[in-house]
Amino acid sequence: MGTTYRARLLSPAEEGWTHWPDARLVVRDGRVAEAGPWRRGGRADVDLRPHFVFPGLVDVHAHVPQLPVCGVHPENLLEWLRRWTFPLERRFRGERARELSRRYFREMLAQGTTAAALYTSAWPDSVEACFEEAAALGLHAWIGPPLMDVDPYRPVTTRRVLDEARALARLDSPERRFVVTPRFALSATRELLAGCAALARERDLPIQTHLAEQQPECEEVRARFGRDYLDVYDEAGLLTPRTIFAHAIWLSASDWRRLARARCAVAHCPTSNVFLGSGVMDWKRARAGRMALGSDVGAGPDLSLFRVARMAWTLHSLNGGPPDAGDLLRAATVDGASALGFDDLGALRPGFVADFIVLDAAQVVPPGAPKAESTADLLSRILHRAGRSAVCQVYIAGVLRHER
């Protein structure tokens, strides 16, 4: 039978955006069965007018244990990790991990995000807790523990780290991928980095890590390994089409070309980069390849990808002209899904999973505001005005999971 929704609908198309001011969205068995203009004489099971139906957002880089540390003492990256992040992650295990994972997903949904790439803590039971809580909501996600054998916050050997990761890979499924997650070059020996690449090849798993976030970090990588940051990962075998590198700020033109040739994806995290004073990513080079947006909580202030997209607009407006609003919102939806290998997420097209959010029309175009003159104008309003308070409802595979 299916459920028929009536609303104003926006969705990324193959190129550009589709906008139907009066739309019919039919959801059947958790997927979009029909999407198009409203048919005269039709009947809606759920009438959402005058609000907007919009694809669920996709966050390609965030840390589940770090939500409580948002906004705490911006310092340089390495000091911030040592003083605040690692002590917090050390406690993220057992029932605490389960409860905080549950809170994290509730807040993620409230912000309009329906799929994500996530770091847990290094404890294996934190990974299991996060998988279980994500499964309870039907979320699509990458989930993995930060793999560390240099200065870890628990006693481990390289072999133990890799053995635990190999055991946790049993959790992998088409909807919730176990992701091989070497934290960053400074947290790992060459042996661990190579072992991570081997595990990903062996089990056909995705990879996520950090790359060139701050200059002192890059300098320490060079001092320790005797090579540039990207060379270290390349030598280990971590440059793959299934790899997401977060930040990618301090890269050369040659580095960008290598990432593009390898078809690696980049997670752009502008709110985090501003908070820690990391720098500004090269927007034009990143968009020439595969790029999506990450909240990077807890260095990012919250889980709002609308805030992340606005910060990207602000930063890159000051460095070569403002990005297109539609381009930024694609990075927060269908491009994010593509980076995660979920090719049936991030848009409201027939056959796609029916993950969508309902945006309050009065917040996007408030009473007294000029009417939107075009789809581009409307996307600009959504970019600059939407946020947690505008998210009325969130649906996962056609099931209402959050209501304001």
Side-chain angles (χ1 to χ4, degrees):
M1 286 288 292
T3 303
T4 299
Y5 300 85
R6 187 176 184 180
R8 195 167 185 175
L9 185 148
L10 292 110
S11 173
E14 291 294 340
E15 292 186 7
W17 282 77
T18 297
H19 171 216
W20 289 300
D22 190 6
R24 167 186 170 88
L25 178 70
V26 180
V27 176
R28 188 175 299 123
D29 297 327
R31 292 184 178 267
V32 176
E34 300 176 40
W38 184 255
R39 299 172 184 171
R40 181 177 295 181
R43 175 184 167 276
D45 298 303
V46 182
D47 193 337
L48 295 169
R49 294 176 298 170
H51 302 315
F52 298 91
V53 164
F54 195 83
L57 307 178
V58 182
D59 186 343
V60 300
H61 183 69
H63 299 259
V64 177
Q66 294 181 24
L67 190 58
V69 83
C70 290
V72 174
H73 293 279
E75 295 160 308
N76 72 74
L77 170 66
L78 301 180
E79 180 65 11
W80 186 80
L81 289 171
R82 186 188 66 78
R83 287 190 63 191
W84 305 108
T85 303
F86 290 165
L88 191 67
E89 289 189 8
R90 187 182 295 115
R91 301 194 301 276
F92 191 84
R93 61 187 305 197
E95 188 53 37
R96 177 182 174 85
R98 188 171 303 282
E99 174 58 27
L100 290 181
S101 295
R102 193 174 301 129
R103 290 185 193 176
Y104 182 96
F105 288 126
R106 284 202 294 263
E107 179 59 22
M108 190 179 92
L109 290 176
Q111 297 281 6
T113 297
T114 58
L118 303 169
Y119 291 55
T120 64
S121 74
W123 302 103
D125 64 349
S126 78
V127 184
E128 294 167 336
C130 199
F131 264 92
E132 289 174 15
E133 295 303 323
L137 294 170
L139 295 167
H140 283 70
W142 285 10
I143 300 169
L147 304 177
M148 303 180 286
D149 65 348
V150 174
D151 297 327
Y153 47 74
R154 65 188 189 117
V156 290
T157 61
T158 304
R159 172 170 288 186
R160 179 179 173 185
V161 172
L162 289 170
D163 285 347
E164 287 177 346
R166 187 168 283 104
L168 288 166
R170 75 186 188 283
L171 300 169
D172 186 60
S173 74
E175 295 80 20
R176 283 162 292 282
R177 305 297 317 272
F178 177 78
V179 53
V180 179
T181 308
R183 186 178 205 118
F184 69 149
L186 293 178
S187 71
T189 59
R190 281 187 168 90
E191 181 185 3
L192 178 58
L193 293 174
C196 287
L199 175 59
R201 287 193 302 271
E202 173 192 326
R203 300 291 184 91
D204 193 28
L205 296 170
I207 299 165
Q208 64 180 354
T209 188
H210 299 78
L211 171 64
E213 185 174 354
Q214 291 197 344
Q215 285 181 309
E217 170 203 7
C218 295
E219 290 164 4
E220 191 165 333
V221 168
R222 195 173 297 112
R224 182 181 299 179
F225 290 92
R227 311 194 68 176
D228 287 342
Y229 216 136
L230 195 62
D231 291 332
V232 173
Y233 286 151
D234 198 0
E235 179 183 60
L238 294 169
L239 272 64
T240 81
R242 299 186 309 279
T243 302
I244 292 182
F245 290 112
H247 303 291
I249 297 171
W250 300 100
L251 298 181
S252 66
S254 172
D255 289 336
W256 281 110
R257 288 192 292 271
R258 290 166 66 192
L259 288 174
R261 282 197 300 270
R263 301 204 68 251
C264 304
V266 166
H268 183 24
C269 307
T271 53
S272 164
N273 297 341
V274 168
F275 180 75
L276 291 178
S278 301
V280 180
M281 187 202 71
D282 191 324
W283 169 262
K284 289 183 178 178
R285 286 198 168 101
R287 286 308 281 162
R290 301 173 64 218
M291 191 213 78
L293 299 181
S295 66
D296 195 26
V297 159
D302 59 29
L303 288 169
S304 173
L305 282 187
F306 289 119
R307 184 198 291 262
V308 171
R310 281 194 292 276
M311 181 62 78
W313 188 91
T314 300
L315 286 177
H316 302 302
S317 292
L318 299 172
N319 290 270
D324 177 75
D327 199 26
L328 282 165
L329 292 172
R330 285 185 74 92
T333 54
V334 70
D335 289 353
S338 176
L340 298 181
F342 298 137
D343 294 330
D344 56 358
L345 291 180
L348 298 173
R349 306 175 198 161
F352 275 53
V353 177
D355 287 2
F356 60 92
I357 63 179
V358 179
L359 295 174
D360 188 337
Q363 295 218 27
V364 174
V365 185
K371 287 187 176 181
E373 297 177 345
S374 63
T375 300
D377 183 11
L378 184 55
L379 291 169
S380 179
R381 312 278 184 109
I382 290 172
L383 171 68
H384 291 287
R385 296 190 62 88
R388 192 183 197 277
S389 63
V391 177
C392 300
Q393 295 179 331
V394 179
Y395 291 79
I396 303 287
V399 177
L400 179 61
R401 295 293 189 177
H402 169 79
E403 188 163 24
R404 193 180 67 201

